[in-house]
Amino acid sequence: MTVPTNVEMIDPIFCVSDLDRSVRYYTQVLGFDAADWNTGDFTAVTLGGHGVYLAENMQGQPGAWIWIGVGDVRALHDLYVSRGARIRLPPTSYPWALELQVEDPDGNVLRFGSDPDD
C-alpha cells in the first residue's frame, strides 16, 4: 500500500520529568545536539541529523524504547562509559545486531545497534 503523500520524517517523542536535566544528559553524556528552540516543556535533540523530541510530563509515559542504528556500538559504549551513561546492557551480539542499551534519567531506553559479531 502507498500513502498519498511523502513521509518527511518519523521522530519519537520521549516523556521526561525534567526537561533541562534531560537535555543536559542527552547533550553532555550521550553526545546529542540540542535544538535551537525550547518552549520550556518541549524541545528536541539530534544525533547524526536524526531527532528525538523531549516532552516534559506530557505526551506518553516514561519508559519508551527506540532503536538507533550506528556504525560501531563498541566505540559508542566506550565513550558512554567514560561519560557516566546509564548502561542497561553492554554490547551484546544477537542475530540481528550487536546491541547496546542506554537509559535516560526517566527510564527511556535507547537501543543502539551495529552489525552483529560473526
Side-chain angles (χ1 to χ4, degrees):
M1 181 175 124
T2 59
V3 294
T5 187
N6 65 314
V7 176
E8 295 176 1
M9 70 183 73
I10 298 174
D11 293 330
I13 302 172
F14 278 163
C15 180
V16 300
S17 61
D18 183 323
L19 190 65
D20 292 335
R21 177 187 67 181
S22 293
V23 170
R24 280 191 307 275
Y25 183 79
Y26 277 87
T27 58
Q28 295 174 9
V29 177
L30 300 183
F32 282 68
D33 294 314
D36 58 1
W37 58 270
N38 183 328
T39 67
D41 60 3
F42 193 79
T43 192
V45 292
T46 60
L47 184 66
H50 303 281
V52 176
Y53 290 105
L54 303 175
E56 186 172 286
N57 297 316
M58 62 178 175
Q59 299 192 26
Q61 300 295 320
W65 292 53
I66 61 171
W67 174 265
I68 303 169
V70 298
D72 187 349
V73 161
R74 285 191 176 90
L76 202 55
H77 175 258
D78 292 346
L79 174 67
Y80 288 171
V81 167
S82 75
R83 292 182 174 181
R86 298 175 182 190
I87 306 298
R88 188 176 193 280
L89 177 75
T92 303
S93 194
Y94 295 101
W96 58 88
L98 178 64
E99 185 172 323
L100 163 68
Q101 296 177 7
V102 178
E103 284 188 5
D104 76 6
D106 293 287
N108 295 302
V109 178
L110 296 88
R111 292 176 62 188
F112 294 95
S114 58
D115 289 338
D117 289 338
D118 293 330

